[in-house]
Amino acid sequence: MKTFQIKTAAHCCAVDITERIAAALKEISALNGVCLIYVSHTTAAVTINEGADKSVMDDLLETLDTLVPWQGGYKHAEGNSAAHIKAVLAGESAQAIVDSGELVLGTWQRVFLLEFDGPRTRTIRVQFTGERGA
Ligand code: ZN
């Protein structure tokens, strides 16, 4: 398993972590298999989606804000229930195929950390299962 940290810069934002994942796979000589990308926090998420047009992530974050407003009469005393709910909706992990040491992503796909209660330092874990090279 490889672990790295990302400092997010806003309350809600999407951070492209594709190159960090690729670097982690190289460090462990991942060759062919599957990697799990996991964020070990309850108010952040990981997803794979379009990275070519930044407005796609803007639209995603704005839509989640509409669906799950920050003020919502929630019971959670910490006051960040909206962030927890968004994290559940988006999910704490994503999987990607690794072929010949490279992440297999579509033309427009990138791996994103989604921050819902930042700015914070987030820990990302990458677990590779499969064949390793030399
Ligand atoms: Zn909380």
Side-chain angles (χ1 to χ4, degrees):
M1 180 177 71
K2 293 298 290 186
T3 300
F4 61 89
Q5 295 191 314
I6 298 285
K7 280 188 101 161
T8 61
H11 186 245
C12 287
C13 58
V15 181
D16 187 334
I17 58 170
T18 309
E19 298 309 320
R20 297 294 300 269
I21 305 299
L25 292 171
K26 289 208 182 335
E27 287 174 31
I28 59 171
S29 302
L31 192 58
N32 297 306
V34 174
C35 76
L36 176 72
I37 304 135
Y38 178 83
V39 61
S40 51
H41 300 277
T42 61
T43 55
V46 170
T47 196
I48 298 175
N49 210 286
E50 174 159 346
D53 180 357
K54 182 189 174 302
S55 62
V56 172
M57 282 298 119
D58 292 343
D59 288 344
L60 172 71
L61 294 171
E62 286 176 20
T63 300
L64 286 172
D65 275 342
T66 302
L67 292 172
V68 188
W70 191 255
Q71 301 292 336
Y74 308 110
K75 295 177 182 170
H76 179 42
E78 190 184 10
N80 64 351
S81 273
H84 290 290
I85 294 166
K86 290 176 186 176
V88 168
L89 291 175
E92 77 296 325
S93 66
Q95 293 181 78
I97 296 168
V98 179
D99 183 66
S100 301
E102 303 291 331
L103 274 176
V104 177
L105 295 173
T107 303
W108 313 115
Q109 286 182 314
R110 303 291 287 180
V111 184
F112 291 95
L113 165 67
L114 300 177
E115 173 63 78
F116 299 125
D117 194 17
R120 293 186 193 221
T121 299
R122 300 300 195 170
T123 300
I124 309 290
R125 301 175 199 279
V126 180
Q127 177 67 53
F128 173 75
T129 302
E131 175 191 356
R132 292 175 196 250

